[in-house]
């Protein structure tokens, strides 16, 4: 049987490994980009997989003052589409990282 000291050292090393892996995942998520769209692609929002908005593109045909409310709704829908895709990519990347970890059943990572 392992001594308490050996078990503590192994636990600390495992924790450090998990921390390092999670930092790598967070860096990858910031670099991954997704694009949400609304109105048949007339409004597009590009975001990182962590949800940081990178770009908003609005088709010139939408720039009519009478359509302001519709344009605002399309922008909100595009943001929501990008956020949903970012969440999906984030979950997939976190699942890849945690698949090799000996975590107890039902354990959730703190930011998934």
């Amino acid at each position: 049987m392992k001594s308490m000291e050996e078990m503590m050292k192994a636990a600390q090393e495992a924790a450090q490994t998990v921390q390092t892996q999670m930092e790598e995942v967070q860096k990858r998520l910031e670099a991954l980009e997704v694009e949400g769209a609304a109105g048949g692609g007339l409004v597009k929002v590009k975001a990182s997989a962590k949800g940081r908005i990178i770009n908003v593109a609005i088709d010139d045909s939408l720039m009519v003052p009478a359509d302001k409310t519709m344009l605002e709704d399309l922008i909100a829908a595009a943001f929501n589409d990008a956020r949903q895709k970012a969440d999906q990519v984030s979950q997939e990347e976190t699942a890849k990282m945690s698949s090799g970890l000996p975590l107890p059943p039902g354990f959730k990572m703190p930011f998934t």
Side-chain angles (χ1 to χ4, degrees):
M1 180 174 224
K2 290 184 178 181
S3 71
M4 182 62 91
E5 185 177 309
E6 289 172 323
M7 289 191 306
M8 290 297 291
K9 183 177 179 182
Q12 287 174 336
E13 288 172 358
Q16 182 62 41
T17 299
V18 169
Q19 182 178 354
T20 300
Q21 289 175 338
M22 291 311 299
E23 288 170 0
E24 291 171 8
V25 167
Q26 293 300 312
K27 288 177 188 174
R28 282 199 313 261
L29 291 177
E30 187 58 38
L32 289 172
E33 294 181 2
V34 294
E35 183 176 85
L42 295 173
V43 175
K44 296 177 183 175
V45 174
K46 190 179 292 185
S48 75
K50 287 186 75 173
R52 183 178 59 86
I53 302 304
I54 298 166
N55 185 38
V56 175
I58 302 170
D59 188 273
D60 289 340
S61 68
L62 294 177
M63 302 311 289
V64 177
D67 294 335
K68 182 178 186 288
T69 301
M70 180 184 71
L71 178 59
E72 291 169 344
D73 290 344
L74 288 172
I75 291 170
F79 272 110
N80 290 331
D81 187 39
R83 182 69 232 177
Q84 178 184 12
K85 290 175 180 176
D87 288 344
Q88 181 179 353
V89 170
S90 178
Q91 289 174 357
E92 290 168 0
E93 289 297 311
T94 302
K96 285 180 195 175
M97 189 282 304
S98 63
S99 67
L101 298 176
L103 299 175
F107 182 82
K108 299 276 187 194
M109 296 302 266
F111 32 79
T112 59

